[in-house]
Amino acid sequence: PVKKGESFRDKLKDLEPQNIFPLVVNVLACFLFMMNNYIIAPSSAYYAEALGCNDALSGIMVGAAPLFAMSSSVVYSYWTNYNYKQPMLFAATLQIIGNLLYA
């Protein structure tokens, strides 16, 4: 609850150390997701060509990320009702593995 006259800086002083790790992981996951969109969108046609596939595969690669993010959000919303750390670490691990596979 926000107290009257309490600023954002006051709330940061009350932030406990065990709550910082999930925030850092969440910010890094958002950064990786945005960076993936920034890298994949312009280079996906070249990647599909290097694989010997049609350029339509580049559209599938770009469109697959939001589609799977939307479908996995249902699973993650259910999972985070019981535990928060494991779903965050699982998602971060899958994102790193996906980046390594794309590289």
Side-chain angles (χ1 to χ4, degrees):
V2 178
K3 298 174 187 170
K4 189 172 184 175
E6 187 177 33
S7 69
F8 182 71
R9 290 179 193 242
D10 294 334
K11 291 186 83 55
L12 281 178
K13 290 177 186 174
D14 295 336
L15 192 62
E16 297 173 4
Q18 67 265 22
N19 295 332
I20 292 174
F21 179 71
L23 290 174
V24 170
V25 170
N26 201 3
V27 168
L28 288 175
C30 290
F31 172 75
L32 278 176
F33 186 74
M34 291 299 143
M35 187 179 67
N36 288 342
N37 287 335
Y38 183 74
I39 291 171
I40 290 174
S43 67
S44 62
Y46 300 117
Y47 187 65
E49 185 179 313
L51 291 175
C53 297
N54 193 355
D55 286 345
L57 180 65
S58 66
I60 293 172
M61 286 189 292
V62 170
L67 178 68
F68 285 112
M70 185 175 62
S71 62
S72 67
S73 66
V74 176
V75 175
Y76 283 123
S77 67
Y78 179 75
W79 195 4
T80 55
N81 284 334
Y82 301 101
N83 191 350
Y84 190 74
K85 185 177 180 180
Q86 289 177 346
M88 288 296 291
L89 292 176
F90 181 72
T93 303
L94 287 181
Q95 201 166 29
I96 290 170
I97 290 170
N99 284 333
L100 290 174
L101 289 175
Y102 187 79

